[in-house]
């Protein structure tokens, strides 16, 4: 049974308030199916019962958070789209390692990291391709709105299905071990990434300046004002010669004109415009 | 571009064939390693083979070793697609010359993602 317009509006407002994610009209079935999954997982009899509890619970309660998290899309894979990672390996990292030779410091940020595939891809690439820089102060920060995703990412534990996606078999064998029916990233790789919960749509806490920001397949869920606000904050966090990666369906154009596109044949990213 | 699909399950072959055909491959099928070597001799060469592990007569592991022992097929890419999920087995297949490894059950996206990892563009 589809949820009522009133319930849909309630969820829509809650989710927008807490995550800035926009649930458009027409997403009723999606909302309904994700709520019934949540209800089943929590041992709640029906979606109606879930709504009854939501209205009775304090808004700061656990169930409200769970509803918001249930509406996030966590689809991701290792080395997603390949080409951005090639560009990083072949052009950007060699450039930055040269530029930062004196300070020997590099900060990379994965914003909206989901289950951790993206930051672990970055960590594995660094370890695999740039072993000579492992004595630098390299920080890999990763954040997501979802408490559940951050907990999973921290553990670095992936299902067979997940390690089958995008991860070269040679790297699976080298950097993972089996844990029951799952696979876990090796501890030295896990220790390279600092995970934290963070809402990109809220004012950001003080963050270290970043040389590279990966913010891929996150902005698509927001409206233009939210995108603009987030891009402005990303620009302030990026060093002036840094690089911002967005998803292939995302862009700064017509949202924030203070970025230049940086590209080769296969991939592109954005750099803060030079202020004259 | 030509692909070999080697699996003793006709159902699996059909699914893989459909995916590869959509990518623009001409697909040659075989139900075990021995038959696959025969088919390979007939057609001369293949760009890639998707190979099951456990099959009667000649299994996928021995097929890979046979192909890697024959320098005429040095350029051929080999992807294991198998229910073998032990890390030791994955390592063993790679050592024998497999380029990629997919653990069953697989999805179409998974196969496509592995193909692009191997530098094989898909339509
Ligand atoms: C589709 S995943 C993208 C994962 C990865 N970056 C990639 O490209 O494969 C989107 C992630 O953004 C997170 N997210 C959604 N809204 C957010 C917000 N307001 N702040 C931080 N993360 C958010 C979701 O929880 C989800 O894990």
């Amino acid at each position: 049974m589809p949820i009522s317009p009133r319930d849909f509006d309630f969820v829509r407002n809650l989710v927008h308030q807490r995550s800035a994610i926009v649930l458009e009209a027409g997403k009723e079935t999606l909302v309904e199916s994700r709520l019934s999954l949540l209800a089943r997982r929590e041992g709640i009899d029906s979606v109606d019962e879930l709504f009854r509890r939501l209205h009775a619970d304090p808004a700061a309660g656990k169930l409200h958070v769970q509803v918001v998290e249930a509406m996030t899309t966590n689809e991701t894979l290792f080395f997603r789209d390949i080409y951005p990672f090639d560009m990083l390996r072949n052009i950007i990292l060699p450039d930055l390692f040269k530029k930062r030779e004196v300070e020997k410091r590099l900060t990379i940020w994965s914003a909206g990291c989901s289950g951790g595939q993206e930051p672990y891809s970055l960590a594995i690439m660094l370890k695999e391709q740039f072993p000579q820089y492992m004595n630098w102060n390299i920080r890999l920060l990763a954040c997501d709105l979802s408490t559940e995703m951050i907990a999973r990412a921290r553990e670095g534990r992936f299902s067979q299905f997940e390690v089958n996606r995008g991860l070269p078999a040679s790297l699976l064998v080298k950097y993972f071990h089996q844990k029951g029916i799952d696979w876990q990233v090796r501890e030295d790789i896990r220790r390279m990434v600092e995970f934290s919960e963070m809402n990109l749509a809220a004012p950001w806490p003080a963050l270290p300046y970043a040389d590279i920001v990966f913010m891929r397949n996150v902005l698509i869920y927001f409206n233009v004002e939210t995108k603009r606000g987030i891009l402005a904050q990303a620009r302030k966090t990026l060093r002036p010669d840094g690089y911002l990666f967005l998803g292939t369906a995302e862009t700064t154009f017509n949202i924030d004109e203070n970025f230049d596109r940086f590209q080769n044949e296969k991939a592109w990213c954005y750099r803060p415009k030079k202020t004259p | 571009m030509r692909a070999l699909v080697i699996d003793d399950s006709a159902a699996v072959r059909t699914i893989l064939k459909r995916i590869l055909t959509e990518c623009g491959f001409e697909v040659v099928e075989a139900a075990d390693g021995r038959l696959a070597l025969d088919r390979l001799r007939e057609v001369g060469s293949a760009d890639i083979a998707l190979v099951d592990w456990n099959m009667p007569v000649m299994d996928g592991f021995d097929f890979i070793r046979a192909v890697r022992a024959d320098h005429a097929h040095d350029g051929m890419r080999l992807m294991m697609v198998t229910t073998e999920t032990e890390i030791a087995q994955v390592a063993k297949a790679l050592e024998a010359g497999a380029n990629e490894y997919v653990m069953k059950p697989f999805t179409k996206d998974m196969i496509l993602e592995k193909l692009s990892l191997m530098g094989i563009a898909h339509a």
Side-chain angles (χ1 to χ4, degrees):
Chain A
M1 200 183 63
I3 60 173
S4 71
R6 196 173 133 266
D7 286 344
F8 181 66
D9 275 343
F10 176 83
V11 173
R12 196 199 333 222
N13 288 332
L14 174 69
V15 169
H16 189 257
Q17 217 173 48
R18 301 280 180 94
S19 70
I21 294 172
V22 179
L23 292 171
E24 282 140 3
K27 299 268 184 186
E28 287 85 352
T29 334
L30 177 90
V31 169
E32 156 80 24
S33 77
R34 290 192 176 175
L35 288 180
S36 45
L37 275 176
L38 172 64
R40 199 170 320 146
R41 214 182 58 201
E42 292 299 305
I44 298 170
D45 284 344
S46 64
V47 172
D48 280 345
E49 171 64 14
L50 187 136
F51 273 107
R52 212 192 47 72
R53 291 203 202 174
L54 268 178
H55 295 309
D57 274 10
K62 180 166 156 245
L63 196 56
H64 287 74
V65 173
Q66 286 175 317
V67 167
V68 175
E69 294 193 2
M71 296 306 147
T72 61
T73 299
N74 307 115
E75 157 81 6
T76 186
L77 64 146
F78 289 98
F79 298 99
R80 187 171 191 163
D81 304 321
I82 301 172
Y83 301 127
F85 289 89
D86 285 349
M87 186 188 220
L88 209 55
R89 187 184 63 220
N90 299 327
I91 302 168
I92 294 175
L93 284 171
D95 171 56
L96 286 173
F97 278 125
K98 201 175 294 161
K99 282 189 182 141
R100 307 286 188 258
E101 216 156 34
V102 176
E103 55 187 297
K104 293 194 175 8
R105 186 208 311 262
L106 199 68
T107 302
I108 306 178
W109 197 42
S110 164
C113 67
S114 190
Q117 284 90 334
E118 182 175 279
Y120 287 132
S121 298
L122 294 166
I124 289 171
M125 185 173 95
L126 284 165
K127 189 119 191 173
E128 184 74 7
Q129 304 289 334
F130 302 94
Q132 68 273 38
Y133 299 103
M134 285 298 117
N135 60 343
W136 282 33
N137 179 2
I138 297 181
R139 291 187 73 183
L140 257 168
L141 309 173
C143 81
D144 201 281
L145 174 81
S146 161
T147 325
E148 190 193 328
M149 282 298 132
I150 287 298
R152 287 187 42 188
R154 231 182 232 131
E155 212 191 340
R157 195 169 168 151
F158 298 95
S159 68
Q160 176 179 306
F161 181 85
E162 291 169 320
V163 296
N164 256 330
R165 299 195 56 196
L167 184 66
S170 54
L171 298 181
L172 172 70
V173 170
K174 195 162 169 189
Y175 293 105
F176 290 74
H177 57 251
Q178 284 183 293
K179 196 161 182 176
I181 57 166
D182 292 335
W183 297 72
Q184 190 174 35
V185 195
R186 234 170 55 185
E187 168 148 22
D188 57 328
I189 299 292
R190 242 160 44 222
R191 273 207 310 259
M192 287 174 70
V193 188
E194 302 164 51
F195 289 99
S196 59
E197 286 156 37
M198 175 175 159
N199 182 357
L200 290 168
W204 294 5
L207 291 165
Y209 283 112
D211 300 282
I212 299 165
V213 173
F214 262 55
M215 189 153 56
R216 307 194 64 218
N217 307 295
V218 187
L219 293 182
I220 27 169
Y221 303 106
F222 305 140
N223 65 28
V224 176
E225 292 95 276
T226 309
K227 288 179 189 167
R228 189 171 289 133
I230 293 176
L231 285 173
Q233 298 198 82
R235 206 151 29 74
K236 289 193 193 117
T237 299
L238 261 184
R239 290 179 62 162
D241 58 353
Y243 300 83
L244 169 72
F245 281 85
L246 301 179
T248 47
E250 296 162 329
T251 175
T252 61
F253 290 129
N254 295 325
I255 302 172
D256 185 333
E257 302 309 330
N258 299 300
F259 284 99
D260 284 325
R261 192 168 147 122
F262 175 83
Q263 66 182 75
N264 64 12
E265 320 82 62
K266 300 246 172 106
W268 62 91
C269 62
Y270 301 88
R271 310 191 70 182
K273 263 207 173 86
K274 301 239 172 350
T275 36
Chain B
M1 286 199 298
R2 186 181 293 132
L4 266 177
V5 170
I6 314 165
D7 200 301
D8 54 345
S9 152
V12 172
R13 290 201 306 273
T14 303
I15 297 168
L16 289 174
K17 180 177 179 173
R18 191 178 310 139
I19 297 171
L20 289 164
T21 307
E22 275 176 38
C23 294
F25 282 97
E26 172 209 335
V27 177
V28 175
E29 292 178 55
D32 69 60
R34 172 63 50 209
L35 292 169
L37 289 175
D38 292 345
R39 298 289 282 135
L40 191 55
R41 251 188 306 277
E42 284 164 35
V43 297
S45 69
D47 300 283
I48 184 169
L50 273 56
V51 193
D52 186 18
W53 193 308
N54 300 302
M55 294 179 290
V57 189
M58 181 194 258
D59 71 14
F61 183 74
D62 285 341
F63 172 81
I64 281 181
R65 286 213 299 206
V67 168
R68 286 300 177 236
D70 180 351
H71 290 297
H73 299 304
D74 276 352
M76 188 166 151
R77 320 281 282 151
L78 299 171
M79 188 197 294
M80 275 286 194
V81 183
T82 167
T83 50
E84 293 292 331
T85 57
E86 288 297 313
I87 190 166
Q89 297 292 83
V90 184
K92 189 174 154 190
L94 295 179
E95 247 160 63
N99 303 95
E100 265 307 336
Y101 200 102
V102 173
M103 295 174 270
K104 287 176 181 170
F106 61 84
T107 63
K108 179 179 169 182
D109 281 346
M110 241 175 231
I111 300 291
L112 296 180
E113 286 153 10
K114 286 284 186 179
L115 287 176
S116 46
L117 269 185
M118 299 166 84
I120 297 170
H122 49 81

